[in-house]
Every structure is written in structure tokens, then in C-alpha cells.
Amino acid sequence: MCGIVGYIGQKDTKDILLSGLEKLEYRGYDSAGIAVRNAGGVHVSKVKGRIAALREAVNEDVHATMGIGHTRWATHGAPSRENAHPHQSSTERFTIVHNGVIENYMDIRNQYLQDVALQSETDTEIIVQLIEVFYNELNDVAAAFRKAVELLTGSYAIALIDSEDSETIFVAKNKSPLLVGLGDGFNMVASDSMAALHVTDQFLELMDKETVILRRGEVKIIDPDGQQVTREPFKAEIDATDIEKGTYPHFMLKEIDEQPFVIRKIIQEYQNENDEIKLDPQIREAMKTCDRIYIIAAGTSYHAGLLGKQFIEKLANIPVEVHVASEFSYNMPHLSEKPLFVYISQSGETADSRSVLVQTKKLGHPALTITNVPGSTLSREADYTMHLHAGPEIAVASTKAYTAQMAVLAILAVDTARAKGIELDFDPMQELGIVANAMEALTDQKEELEELARDYLSVTRNCFFIGRGIDYYVGLEGSLKLKEISYIQAEGFAGGELKHGTIALIEEGTPVIALATQENVNYSIRGNVQEVEARGANSMIISMKGLDKEGDAFVIPHVHDLLTPLVSVVPFQLISYYAALHRDCDVDKPRNLAKSVTVE
Ligand code: M6R
């Protein structure tokens, strides 16, 4: 959560920082600020609200060629101007932006800052005040910076400027993502390469506990032992147009529409010229030889994991457990003798998942990360990575990453089955091709789905999604999509479980959306619909061609049984999108959320 950016170069920095922060808004957007330094000193502008509001607040007449910026998702202290970054030390000599959580900030405050009058409720202000205290002691900014950073426990990506120094941005990183962007006569630092792509595509990776002295013509990386480190730059593979909306009103709609292309890209990336599955042989071996798989994930990725379990157990005959990352850390089940941990994460930065990865690595268990961001923390720290190839997903509500996760899991399951010598009557690439076509057909039916959203969800305060078997898992994802962007209280239930309590919530007109794509439960899920209708529910059935019945509200094209979730989720995504739109909600940036959840 939170995004930071810094620039030191020749150009006026305001716009470079603001454009960078716009690209980082997915990391948090409750308040924002920048600080720029020129001969007149350090000029801070900050607001409660979005970057658009910050743009209006920034003084156009101030010009500077170095500065730092921040977009916030509040952890310590409410979203307010006072708690917005940048924060300054008491004399205003030092100015800081920070992403992360300082776990020992109260201890630091009690031990070193008893006499300092703090201006905010943040853990971040503690860092900048501590640097000033150490500077007064040491009379050396770099030494004071290092000494302060060494005392911090927790996660941080930090950029600091000194009003007395026109040549340096001081940078530090631990656990929170941070990259250096390299340019001709300038350098940058940013939480994500997207924030600097408008000026450079050359980046340097930073490791935990490294500090950096960033100057116009120099990047000095220092490791935790105080040794200077040299590192090869890499080119960001993101196309700048991938992170623009183009003609779409929202990223979410664009990303829903991109799903057929993503599935085709996955087919291409995971197939060799002999039409065989292309996979790191080490992953194949790890899958083949483990005795149980533990899938760890959060939110939408957890929902993909539930379906991954179905694929792997049904096709490759390996037992799979799926766990919510935030629970697993302190509630670890009895593990099998030869477990393989599979981390599913769009961003690769989810702190809850990372905390499990750290624990299971300590126990010596191998880890595979399935992610959309190969250089991410979860990818770097796991033994193996499978890339989703979904392209940047900007909308907070995950859509194309979810379907990509399922496609990659299906390929992995088939590959493992084949490696184990299991004969399958299932060609994943051919079936995924059919899925891509079906998705395309659905994204062409937006008007119908918009109408369903209007009819069922315009005025309601709640909604239930029901299904059986894999349809139940897709219902969980449908309900998450709807609630997070439209604020309608939506819950997913196993069709047969409703009558064990939840049916008490059904009133006259309560929307119930049922999914019926599985032949073996087609009859029983329809029975559950009858039960809620008898109690006044306003129900709709979304079924699959071949299993449809008269009166079904929407019918998806026929695809292979196992892969129906990749297709049946699309109407849920679009219905949620239109429900949010009709309610005037901020579709891409729903309240209280952030795209990348980097705090536990
Ligand atoms: O980046 P991750 O996949 O690890 O993120 C996990 C969840 O925070 C995420 O899936 C969240 O539930 C979605 N934004 C919901 O649409």
C-alpha cells in the first residue's frame, strides 16, 4: 500500500512526480503529496484525496529539478492532510516519503523523540524526526540516515531530501517494493516501474536492507554491510500503452475485454513448437514428487486457488489444500512429509502471502509463485515462478488476473498429470482456445448484462450468489467483485447450505444469482432457486448452453466442464461493473481499498 516516487535531474520535477503518482494510485489513494527542492528551499504540497486534487493544489510557479512524492493508503492515522506524506522534521530540514509499516515506531518515539512535538499520527514522521536527532549528533546526513534506517524494524521504501543538499536523494528499502529508474542526466526512484515509464525504461532492482545515494549522474547502492554494490540494469518490458485506458471509460472494463487475448497469450507462452506444454523442468519435478500441495493466497487469488485445487486433484491426482494467507501464518495445519507451497498473487507483493512464504522457506519447503509480476517479492523469494502474462492490471477489482491464474493452474495440472503418466482425455490448449472464443462472445453482450444489472441491482442493499461445486467458487468471486466496487452487501453460498441459516435473510425482492454450469448439480441448484423464490427472492439463473432451461436470465457458451469458471465469471464481472456504474461508484478505485496489499 502507498506508492512513492522521487526524481533528481534537469527538468521541472512537479509534472514528472505527479504523472508518476498517477500511475501509482492503484497502491492507495486516500491522500497524496509532493515536496520539491530549489534554491528557495523545500516546497511541500499535500491534500486529502486523489492526485487530481493534488495537481490543483500544487503551486505552478514553483520550479525545481528534484523532489519526492507519495500516494497513501492509511495505516497509522486517518486519511487527512496532516497524515499525508511528505513529512518533515521539526526544523523542516529533512523531508521524507515512506511506504510500509514501521513496527517499532512507538519504541523509537519513546526512546529518542520524547522532546519532539510530532505533527502527525504516522509511523513515517518518526523516521524523519529520528534522522534529524541523529544528524544533530553526527553532523553527517548520510551517517544519520543510515543510523536511523538500521534501527527500523518492519517494511519500508523511503526517499528523503535535505533542504541543504541540492544533489542527493537518500533512499532505503526493506520488504516494500522499490526500483531505481535510470536516465541520461537524471535518476528516479519509484515503487513500481510504471511510475517512471514516461521518462525511462531502464531500471535497477534494489534488495532488502540496501540504501542508495541517488544523484543526477550517480546511483550508489550500499548493502547492509556498508559495501557498495554494482548491479546490471534491466529493461521494463511493459508497453506504456498497456497502462493507459485508451478509449475505455474504466480500466476494469478494458481489463475484462482483454481476457480472451490474455488466454491466447498464455496458450502461446506455455506451448512449444511441438505443441507440448512448455514449463520449467524443475517445476515439473517439484509437482511430480511432492506428496501434497498447499495453495496460499488472498482475495480473488484465493478464489482462483480453490479452482486450482479442483484442477490438480481431478487431473493430477495430488491432494491439495487451499489456505487464506492471513490465517495460515498463525494457524498452520499439520503439514505432510513432502509439501510443495504454491503462492498465487497477481501483484506478487501481498504481505500476508509473503509472511507465509518466509515461514515455509525457513522450514525448508519448496515454493512456486504464480504471479503477474515476475520481478515481485513473492517471485524473487520463491524457488520457481510461473508468469500469468496478463499485462498490467490497474483496476483494483481483479478480473483478467483471475482468469489468467485459472488458465495457468489448468496447464500446470495437466502437465503434472502427464509427468505422472496419467492419460487424459483433455487438451488444455485446445480447450483454452475455446474458452477465449467464449469470453469474446460474452464481452460482446454487454448491453444484455447491463440490463440485468439495472433490473436486479439498481436499488438493492444486498445480493446472494449461489452455486454448487465449482459454480460455488465462482459465486464467491462474483460476490467479491460486486461488493468491492458497488458496496452492495453480496455473499456467495453453496446452494445446499442456504437453508442451514442464510435463507433467513431472503426477503421479498432479495436478488439471488444462481450459476448452473455443471450437469451433475443442474437439477439440485435449480431446486435451491425454487426454495428462495418461494420466499420472495428475485432470482436469476446464469446457465451454460446445453444445460439451459426456459426462463434462464443468461446463457454462457458451452466450454469444457472444468474450465467453465473462466467463462462463467465474465457475466459476474460485467454485472458488477454495471451495478457499480449505475450507483455512481468509483469503479477503478473503490473506497477503502488498494490494489496491492503490502501490509499484514
Ligand atoms: O495481488 P494479489 O493477487 O496477491 O492480491 C490479493 C487480493 O488483495 C486481491 O486479489 C483482491 O482481493 C482483489 N483486488 C479483489 O478484486
Side-chain angles (χ1 to χ4, degrees), residues 426-441:
F426 177 69
D427 176 346
M429 302 311 185
Q430 192 187 333
E431 298 298 343
L432 284 170
I434 298 171
V435 161
N437 294 344
M439 285 172 153
E440 219 151 44

Side-chain angles (χ1 to χ4, degrees), residues 149 154-157 171-178 205-212 221-225 229 231 349 354 358 375-378 380-381:
V149 165
S155 54
Y156 50 80
V171 174
K173 171 201 155 40
N174 188 42
K175 296 185 191 168
S176 299
L178 199 61
E205 210 181 328
L206 294 179
M207 302 300 164
D208 285 349
K209 302 240 161 104
E210 286 180 341
T211 54
V212 183
I221 304 177
I222 299 152
D223 74 11
D225 300 324
V229 179
R231 191 163 291 146
E349 299 294 347
R354 186 189 186 239
V358 170
S376 58
T377 309
L378 283 170
R380 281 203 316 271
E381 295 182 357

Side-chain angles (χ1 to χ4, degrees), residues 298-301 344-348 350 396-398 405 480-481 484 597:
T300 289
S301 299
I344 307 179
S345 173
Q346 187 283 133
S347 63
T350 297
V396 165
S398 185
Q405 285 163 346
L480 177 60
K481 265 332 52 111
E484 71 177 325
V597 184

